[in-house]
């Protein structure tokens, strides 16, 4: 691309109010520094505060000393260690599935799983608000992509009846929607998948660790894990580590080892990361994990109620993801800047991450926030929103 064309495209992004740049941050919260400013972090997915937990750090360091810093190859060449097998076994035990398969990230999992499972002649039914990685997987697959209105099972039923194929039909949904914080309608989805003989896949990047018994995730919260053959989740959010997994059947695991390109053509997760993920699963299943989830739930209730009292429209929900809808991308970024000046870091989220006209502040609550932290945040959000005419 010529320099001129590049500049022209960048200008196009700028005039739309959609220019993005990276911001250097130090720390994993709840207090962090951004440049020379200290602030309260209100937009991290480190919900349980595990990213700097001593158990995880120690496990990572010890594994690096013992096994080295890289796996040195993909799983299928010479990069499949005992730690990979052990972590897959622990994930399967935790999720209550036959087995599990690791992926290098949630993005790599969704693209690698969906594009391997579905192909030409197949149809993928995808919630309109699904994460970009699921959509990219669907586009890569070459299958027909049918997007249904968010959480609308009546519309999905109609689309399933209308779009028939001799091939496979795959329904894909986020368990917790990453930018809205609401849950998928599991009961209806499981029933629809069964009735229409479709395969159901849930991306639980934001549910794992924090929802359901032992933090088994959003489907476990609904008591419906059994009805979902493909349960994907990640280690990089509540679990404080990095990477992803699919909890699935043995046959599916074997198939993906043979067909999933993001697994076959990529160096596998390194020892330090695997060990940290193992420590994280131990933690979320322990009494300490339960305590952290309780703290998180209290904080979520406090923050959601506080915002409602301050006059914000907050959708009902139990997850730590709390969107404040602004609409305009430029106003959204001004809102975020003013908050930062007041000592609170909440990143603005704009298209294409969210649909046009729905730019927002995506606030996230952590177990390690104090009540005073959250009261202060609510006060600042209300004051600045009124100043900008958002409230
Ligand atoms: C973050 C996220 C992913 C991607 O996971 P990474 O491990 O960060 O690549 C996938 N799906 C959803 C819903 C997410 O929120």
């Amino acid at each position: 691309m010529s320099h001129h064309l590049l500049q022209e495209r960048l200008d196009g992004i700028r005039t739309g109010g959609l220019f993005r740049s990276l911001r250097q941050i130090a720390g994993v919260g709840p207090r962090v520094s951004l440049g020379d400013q200290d602030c309260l972090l209100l937009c991290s997915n480190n919900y349980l505060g595990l990213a700097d937990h001593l158990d995880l750090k120690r496990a990572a360091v010890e594994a690096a000393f013992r096994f080295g810093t890289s796996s040195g190859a993909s799983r299928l060449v010479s990069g499949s260690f005992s730690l990979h097998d052990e972590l897959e076994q622990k994930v399967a035990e935790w999720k209550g599935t036959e087995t599990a398969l690791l992926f290098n990230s949630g993005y790599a999992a969704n693209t690698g799983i969906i594009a391997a499972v579905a192909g030409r002649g197949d149809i993928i039914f995808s919630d309109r608000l699904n994460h970009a990685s699921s959509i990219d997987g669907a586009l890569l697959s070459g299958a027909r992509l049918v997007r249904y209105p968010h959480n609308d099972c009546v519309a999905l039923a109609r689309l399933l009846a209308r779009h028939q194929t001799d091939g496979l039909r795959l329904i894909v949904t986020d368990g917790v929607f990453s930018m809205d914080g609401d849950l998928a309608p599991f009961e209806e989805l499981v029933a629809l998948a069964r009735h229409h003989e479709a395969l159901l896949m849930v991306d639980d990047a934001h549910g794992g660790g924090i929802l359901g018994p032992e933090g088994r995730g959003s489907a476990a919260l609904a008591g419906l894990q059994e009805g979902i053959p493909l349960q994907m989740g990640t280690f990089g959010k509540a679990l404080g580590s990095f990477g992803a997994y699919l909890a699935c059947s043995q046959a599916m695991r074997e198939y993906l080892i043979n067909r999933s390109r993001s697994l076959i053509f990529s160096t596998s997760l390194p020892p330090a990361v695997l060990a940290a993920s193992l420590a994280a699963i131990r933690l979320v299943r322990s009494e300490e994990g339960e305590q952290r989830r309780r703290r998180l739930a209290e904080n979520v209730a406090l923050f959601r109620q506080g915002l409602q009292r301050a006059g914000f429209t907050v959708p009902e929900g139990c997850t730590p993801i709390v969107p404040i809808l602004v609409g305009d991308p430029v106003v959204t970024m001004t809102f975020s800047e003013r908050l930062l000046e007041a000592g609170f870091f909440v990143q603005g989220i704009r298209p294409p991450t969210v649909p046009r006209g729905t730019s927002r502040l995506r606030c996230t609550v952590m177990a390690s926030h104090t009540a005073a932290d959250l009261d202060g945040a609510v006060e600042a959000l209300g004051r600045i929103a009124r100043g900008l005419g958002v409230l």
Side-chain angles (χ1 to χ4, degrees):
M1 202 188 310
S2 73
H3 183 70
H4 178 73
L5 189 56
L6 201 55
Q7 282 307 334
E8 212 171 79
R9 289 190 188 176
L10 278 169
D11 288 345
I13 296 173
R14 279 197 188 89
T15 29
L18 299 176
F19 185 75
R20 303 171 185 214
S21 55
L22 301 176
R23 197 165 228 169
Q24 196 174 101
I25 183 163
V28 291
R31 305 232 152 240
V32 295
S33 7
L34 223 64
D36 51 13
Q37 198 184 350
D38 292 331
C39 54
L40 185 77
L41 181 62
L42 270 167
C43 55
S44 167
N45 306 316
N46 176 23
Y47 304 120
L48 295 176
L50 297 190
D52 62 349
H53 194 288
L54 198 58
D55 287 4
L56 274 74
K57 291 197 280 194
R58 194 172 277 142
V61 168
E62 280 170 6
F65 269 97
R66 203 159 151 216
F67 300 105
T69 47
S70 169
S71 73
S74 71
R75 288 292 290 280
L76 282 157
V77 178
S78 63
S80 197
F81 296 177
S82 61
L83 278 174
H84 292 98
D85 293 345
E86 192 184 337
L87 181 54
E88 286 171 340
Q89 200 185 322
K90 293 292 175 200
V91 168
E93 275 172 34
W94 174 50
K95 298 288 288 183
T97 54
E98 204 172 289
T99 186
L101 182 63
L102 299 178
F103 286 86
N104 286 356
S105 69
Y107 189 91
N110 280 338
T111 50
I113 295 162
I114 295 170
V117 168
R120 234 167 248 117
D122 300 332
I123 308 175
I124 298 170
F125 299 84
S126 170
D127 188 290
R128 213 162 248 299
L129 295 188
N130 275 352
H131 192 261
S133 53
S134 295
I135 299 167
D136 291 357
L139 295 175
L140 259 176
S141 74
R144 174 145 183 217
L145 174 59
V146 177
R147 299 177 77 185
Y148 61 89
H150 177 51
N151 277 353
D152 186 343
C153 288
V154 175
L156 175 58
R158 214 166 25 232
L159 291 165
L160 280 162
R162 189 188 311 155
H163 295 278
Q164 303 285 346
T165 174
D166 294 333
L168 170 98
R169 299 198 297 170
L170 174 68
I171 303 170
V172 182
T173 184
D174 284 8
V176 176
F177 286 86
S178 55
M179 296 300 138
D180 293 75
D182 54 343
L183 297 168
F186 289 103
E187 204 159 323
E188 290 93 329
L189 288 173
V190 168
L192 276 176
R194 194 163 293 150
H195 181 73
H196 292 272
E197 293 178 6
L199 196 59
L200 179 58
M201 171 168 171
V202 172
D203 169 352
D204 210 21
H206 290 280
I210 63 168
L211 298 178
E214 294 188 343
R216 283 201 294 271
S218 54
L221 179 69
L224 285 163
Q225 272 188 294
E226 307 272 292
I228 306 168
L230 297 174
Q231 302 181 51
M232 173 272 188
T234 65
F235 296 109
K237 287 164 181 164
L239 291 162
S241 179
F242 183 70
Y245 59 85
L246 181 71
C248 60
S249 68
Q250 187 62 38
M252 180 58 74
R253 181 175 190 275
E254 281 173 3
Y255 177 75
L256 290 172
I257 289 172
N258 282 276
R259 281 286 176 272
S260 176
R261 295 172 67 86
S262 68
L263 179 125
I264 298 169
F265 297 109
S266 195
T267 302
S268 63
L269 291 172
V273 166
L274 298 166
S277 298
L278 274 165
I281 289 186
R282 246 190 327 269
L283 251 163
V284 297
R285 301 189 71 179
S286 71
E287 179 51 35
E288 181 183 342
E290 191 54 43
Q291 273 168 22
R292 284 179 184 243
R293 275 190 294 280
R294 243 187 332 260
R295 271 302 306 270
L296 179 64
E298 284 164 16
N299 280 349
V300 166
L302 199 70
F303 188 63
R304 284 178 177 267
Q305 285 158 12
L307 286 177
Q308 272 161 356
R309 264 199 304 279
F312 289 101
T313 314
V314 179
E316 285 305 314
C318 62
T319 74
I321 302 169
V322 188
I324 293 179
L325 219 65
V326 177
D328 181 74
V330 178
V331 179
T332 300
M333 296 320 281
T334 308
F335 196 167
S336 175
E337 282 307 320
R338 300 249 168 100
L339 272 169
L340 190 56
E341 286 158 20
F344 301 93
F345 181 33
V346 187
Q347 187 59 276
I349 307 285
R350 295 166 285 174
T353 308
V354 292
R356 248 175 219 273
T358 71
S359 289
R360 68 196 64 185
L361 293 183
R362 173 185 178 272
C363 308
T364 54
V365 178
M366 293 168 60
S368 42
H369 285 136
T370 66
D373 285 341
L374 297 173
D375 285 346
V378 167
E379 188 280 323
L381 281 159
R383 175 167 42 81
I384 295 165
R386 276 189 296 277
L388 289 170
V390 171
L391 252 192

